Amino acid sequence: MKQKLSLIALFFMLFYAGTSTAQNALKPGNKLIPGVHNTKSTGHVLYFCDLSQGTDYMLSALTASGYGFESTLDYNYFADNINSGSYDLGILLCQGESSTNFQRAVDSLSSFVNKGGNAIYSDWDKNAINGALFGLDYTGNQNLGVCTVTSPFLSINLPENPITIANPTKWGTFSVGLKAINNSDTLAIFENGDAAIILGVNESALTLGFTNDAVSDNTLFVNALNFMIKKQKIGDRKFYFMNRDDYNLRRCNPDGSDVEIVSQIGVSGSGQYGMVIDKTNDKIYWTDWSSSTVMRCDMNGANPEVIVKDVISTPLGIAIDETAGKLYITDQFNHKIVRCNLDGSTLEEIITETDQITAVTVDIENSKLYFASLSSLKRANLDGTGIEILSTTNIAFVAQIFVDSYHEKLYWANEGGSSFVSSEIDGTNQTVVYTSGDYPEGVWYSRTDNRLYGIDWNGTDGFFSMNTDGTDLTVLFNENSSMVGLFAIEPEILLWKITFNVSDNNGQIEGATVVIDTNTDLTDATGKAILFDYAAGTYHYTVFKSGHNMSEGDVVITDHNMLVDVNLNFTNINDLANAKFTVSPNPSKGIFTLKTEQKSGQISVRDLTGRIICEKQIEAQSTSFDLSNQAKGVYFIDMKTDNSVKTQKIVIE
């Protein structure tokens, strides 16, 4: 029987070898595998991959992302259906055989892209003719093992970067060097300088230089799906600002290149200052305090019009609530904030102060209004009620405020103090991140690359970027001109945060550990812990603290941030006694032994930040640890059983 099976297997091997001129590995039979459908209103994907030797992380990414998709091993089905109008993205991965063996599918995908569709493509056999359809050529190098992702869109939440590219089992070729042609962009590079990922055909075709099973998890592919489906394109990132020397509205790329005039927005003597963009309706709004007007135009500068005239005598700062269709405008010398519709109608005074109001911004997520007078930074409800003072320091004519509600941070350009300032969203923990010798007029935080952008009036810095702590300041361009107002158009980042509120019967718990996968955080004094950057999907969490029973559950992310309330019960005294363990020696040099009467459970060691550095299962009454490679300091050992979590402090010296 074994001999018959071997002969049959040999026959099929010879048969497939004879039918393919360029074969990386054996190809299984064709069949249609239905995927998850209509879990989002957009993002339907048709996926073809002829073979994976290890874990298909592209399929894993499709499942985790929540996009509707179909997966098929029939390339004719792919060719016949990709142009049906049902799909936003086509994925064609030729890993077991050359792309020429699936030419109908390749040609159909190319047609799909040329009609405005999006594609992810790969070909282990390096066919240059087909590669050119998607904006690339091949260098001839292969089996490269280190890939550095340079695109901020694709590097979000990567567990490591550079990433390791490895042969999962039996591939003859698991990676190939790429070369960008026809104005394509390189989004990742191999260790020898070859491109590893290329974006071509007007940023509509993403080509991978490695197989879908050569990476260690699905994060890169989740980013790639979000990038292509949601049109998170490099060219879509633009920064807008106004130049008071020539009275032009301008825009440029995030690196300062391609500065262009959008529209002339004033004449000599004009006083343009604040600016916002209505991305929903493709409109740009700005204030002109010298002529007591608020104006708007289309995104391309066309159709300029005055929407408010003379009613607000000194309009300066401006903010927009796109959800409610409202503008908020500061009347500087009348000490007011006025709200109106996007067309300037239905003006109403919602805030009156005793001092000049210079800047205003809206926090849509938390339904709050932030504004600055000459002496304080304040917060209010969107209707102007509930005013609270956040800060009276580092406030000296604030030109612009930026609210990063995702990370719960505030940034402001403190013109009178020649500084850029950051704080928590409630104004606490202030830091002057950068001191300029000139007049900071605009500040913007970009979640895309986690950097601050700023503009300086007639300063040496011009338009610049820096890390959020003020380091690595880079001047992007400088015209030594009077630049005011800063606003950016950036892609939506399809990653969300999970906020945990942890309490027991006595109230909020400080110091509880919250864990999702390998990510951990400790609750603060208010019982809050936040874990960031999760794509759509279902995640299992664990919450524990010494003296309490452990709590577990699942949280489902769709398309918004999540809030999870957890109540921990106190541990029964009998459970505590049963869960007792000893550690010796303690302190130690990092080598120690844990002894317990428990027969099952899990032991983890974490540092003061909550980061888990070692985990083991209880398999014997004595478990040895070697943490001599860890830094000296205080650590915690948690022993988790079915009924409790017991914690001890250890010291490595």
Side-chain angles (χ1 to χ4, degrees):
M1 186 66 173
K2 289 182 179 179
Q3 185 178 8
K4 288 183 179 180
L5 287 174
S6 297
L7 290 173
I8 292 171
L10 178 61
F11 168 78
F12 278 103
M13 290 175 66
L14 292 172
F15 172 77
Y16 278 112
T19 57
S20 175
T21 58
Q23 196 168 49
N24 199 20
L26 295 184
K27 173 175 172 287
N30 294 327
K31 60 180 178 179
L32 175 65
I33 305 172
V36 181
H37 295 270
N38 300 322
T39 53
K40 287 191 177 182
S41 59
T42 61
H44 208 77
V45 183
L46 183 58
Y47 177 43
F48 171 87
C49 175
D50 61 333
L51 181 63
S52 294
Q53 295 280 9
T55 301
D56 183 345
Y57 284 113
M58 183 64 77
L59 185 61
S60 170
L62 283 164
T63 303
S65 68
Y67 295 122
F69 74 94
E70 289 175 307
S71 176
T72 179
L73 289 172
D74 185 347
Y75 74 91
N76 284 311
Y77 180 90
F78 185 98
D80 292 338
N81 288 276
I82 188 60
N83 285 289
S84 64
S86 301
Y87 304 101
D88 302 294
L89 175 67
I91 305 177
L92 184 67
L93 305 184
C94 308
Q95 301 186 162
E97 298 189 26
S98 170
S99 62
T100 57
N101 287 1
F102 313 117
Q103 196 62 50
R104 285 193 68 235
V106 173
D107 292 340
S108 294
L109 184 62
S110 175
S111 174
F112 176 66
V113 169
N114 291 327
K115 293 175 182 177
N118 298 287
I120 298 178
Y121 174 75
S122 73
D123 176 17
W124 77 273
D125 197 38
K126 307 182 289 292
N127 184 275
I129 296 175
N130 284 339
L133 297 175
F134 304 103
L136 70 128
D137 198 356
Y138 298 91
T139 65
N141 300 315
Q142 62 186 44
N143 294 341
L144 303 163
V146 179
C147 168
T148 300
V149 181
T150 57
S151 164
F153 302 111
L154 298 187
S155 60
I156 296 169
N157 214 34
L158 287 178
E160 59 177 2
N161 193 16
I163 62 177
T164 300
I165 306 297
N167 193 344
T169 48
K170 305 174 183 178
W171 287 128
T173 302
F174 60 90
S175 69
V176 295
L178 309 177
K179 179 171 61 176
I181 63 174
N182 299 332
N183 298 315
S184 296
D185 296 306
T186 297
L187 305 189
I189 57 174
F190 287 118
E191 67 269 27
N192 69 341
D194 287 359
I197 302 176
I198 282 178
L199 184 66
V201 195
N202 296 319
E203 299 184 6
S204 294
L206 189 80
T207 299
L208 304 172
F210 44 86
T211 57
N212 61 14
D213 50 10
V215 292
S216 59
D217 70 4
N218 67 7
T219 307
L220 176 62
F221 294 146
V222 168
N223 292 341
L225 291 172
N226 291 335
F227 179 72
M228 298 306 295
I229 290 175
K230 288 295 184 179
K231 295 285 190 179
Q232 294 180 337
K233 297 190 175 184
I234 294 172
D236 288 345
R237 288 188 74 198
K238 290 288 184 181
F239 280 80
Y240 290 74
F241 60 93
M242 295 178 290
N243 187 315
R244 286 267 298 277
D245 289 344
D246 58 13
Y247 308 102
N248 283 322
L249 171 65
R250 301 189 180 192
R251 67 184 174 200
C252 66
N253 294 328
D255 62 0
S257 63
D258 295 338
V259 180
E260 58 181 327
I261 295 175
V262 178
S263 176
Q264 184 170 351
I265 57 175
V267 296
S268 179
S270 297
Q272 292 78 23
Y273 197 81
M275 177 179 62
V276 292
I277 294 179
D278 177 3
K279 299 184 291 294
T280 303
N281 299 298
D282 293 329
K283 292 286 187 180
I284 303 173
Y285 293 81
W286 67 92
T287 61
D288 184 344
W289 56 264
S290 65
S291 62
S292 302
T293 59
V294 179
M295 300 186 65
R296 70 180 179 183
C297 68
D298 296 340
M299 291 294 293
N300 62 2
N303 301 314
E305 60 178 324
V306 175
I307 63 168
V308 177
K309 174 68 173 174
D310 295 332
V311 181
I312 304 173
S313 62
T314 51
L316 199 69
I318 185 170
I320 187 169
D321 178 353
E322 291 186 55
T323 304
K326 294 290 185 179
L327 292 175
Y328 294 82
I329 305 155
T330 70
D331 192 346
Q332 180 187 1
F333 292 121
N334 288 317
H335 313 165
K336 300 179 184 295
I337 294 179
V338 177
R339 182 171 65 179
C340 65
N341 295 328
L342 296 180
D343 62 359
S345 63
T346 318
L347 279 89
E348 54 180 332
E349 297 176 0
I350 62 169
I351 291 176
T352 300
E353 292 281 289
T354 59
D355 203 354
Q356 297 178 29
I357 303 178
T358 60
V360 63
T361 194
V362 174
D363 176 6
I364 298 298
E365 182 172 336
N366 297 301
S367 299
K368 292 292 183 179
L369 193 69
Y370 289 78
F371 62 97
S373 67
L374 293 183
S375 59
S376 62
L377 177 67
K378 297 183 178 182
R379 178 170 63 188
N381 298 322
L382 292 179
D383 62 359
T385 62
I387 297 175
E388 53 183 322
I389 298 175
L390 302 182
S391 176
T392 57
T393 59
N394 294 310
I395 306 296
F397 202 103
V398 172
Q400 188 172 2
I401 307 167
F402 188 96
V403 180
D404 174 14
S405 57
Y406 184 76
H407 296 105
E408 301 187 2
K409 293 284 187 180
L410 288 179
Y411 301 95
W412 63 91
N414 189 31
E415 179 185 329
S418 299
S419 59
F420 291 85
V421 186
S422 72
S423 75
E424 303 301 321
I425 202 166
D426 61 1
T428 60
N429 298 327
Q430 282 189 33
T431 301
V432 176
V433 297
Y434 178 62
T435 299
S436 165
D438 305 292
Y439 302 102
E441 294 291 345
V443 63
W444 186 274
Y445 168 73
S446 172
R447 198 177 149 204
T448 303
D449 53 17
N450 192 33
R451 286 178 70 83
L452 287 177
Y453 289 79
I455 54 175
D456 229 352
W457 174 292
N458 284 331
T460 56
D461 297 325
F463 175 53
F464 59 94
S465 72
M466 57 187 166
N467 293 329
T468 55
D469 62 0
T471 59
D472 189 31
L473 186 140
T474 303
V475 176
L476 303 171
F477 79 86
N478 190 6
E479 299 176 328
N480 290 313
S481 58
S482 303
M483 300 164 64
V484 295
L486 184 64
F487 206 95
I489 297 296
E490 299 199 85
E492 179 186 7
I493 303 296
L494 299 175
L495 296 173
W496 292 273
K497 65 180 177 181
I498 307 172
T499 301
F500 290 83
N501 288 324
V502 182
S503 61
D504 59 19
N505 292 338
N506 292 331
Q508 305 305 116
I509 301 177
E510 182 177 5
T513 300
V514 179
V515 182
I516 295 180
D517 298 327
T518 59
N519 299 321
T520 66
D521 192 25
L522 294 176
T523 55
D524 60 18
T526 66
K528 183 169 69 175
I530 305 176
L531 297 176
F532 294 98
D533 294 341
Y534 288 90
T538 301
Y539 299 91
H540 187 76
Y541 66 82
T542 304
V543 182
F544 57 90
K545 182 176 173 60
S546 180
H548 297 76
N549 289 333
M550 181 173 62
S551 178
E552 295 183 89
D554 291 324
V555 56
V556 179
I557 294 179
T558 53
D559 58 359
H560 57 272
N561 298 322
M562 296 299 296
L563 178 65
V564 179
D565 292 319
V566 177
N567 186 268
L568 297 181
N569 295 320
F570 289 103
T571 307
N572 184 285
I573 189 66
N574 294 324
D575 294 332
L576 284 174
N578 292 336
K580 185 176 180 180
F581 65 90
T582 61
V583 176
S584 63
N586 186 22
S588 72
K589 299 295 184 182
I591 299 176
F592 55 87
T593 300
L594 181 148
K595 294 182 179 180
T596 179
E597 297 298 322
Q598 290 294 122
K599 296 181 180 180
S600 63
Q602 185 181 53
I603 305 169
S604 60
V605 182
R606 55 186 167 90
D607 62 18
L608 288 173
T609 69
R611 180 176 63 94
I612 296 176
I613 60 176
C614 179
E615 288 185 306
K616 291 187 177 184
Q617 294 295 321
I618 299 174
E619 297 178 349
Q621 293 181 335
S622 179
T623 305
S624 297
F625 290 82
D626 184 353
L627 302 181
S628 56
N629 62 335
Q630 297 295 322
K632 296 178 182 180
V634 176
Y635 295 81
F636 296 95
I637 294 185
D638 301 309
M639 186 172 71
K640 306 173 191 176
T641 64
D642 291 338
N643 298 315
S644 69
V645 178
K646 183 69 174 176
T647 302
Q648 283 196 34
K649 181 172 69 175
I650 63 171
V651 177
I652 297 178
E653 58 182 14

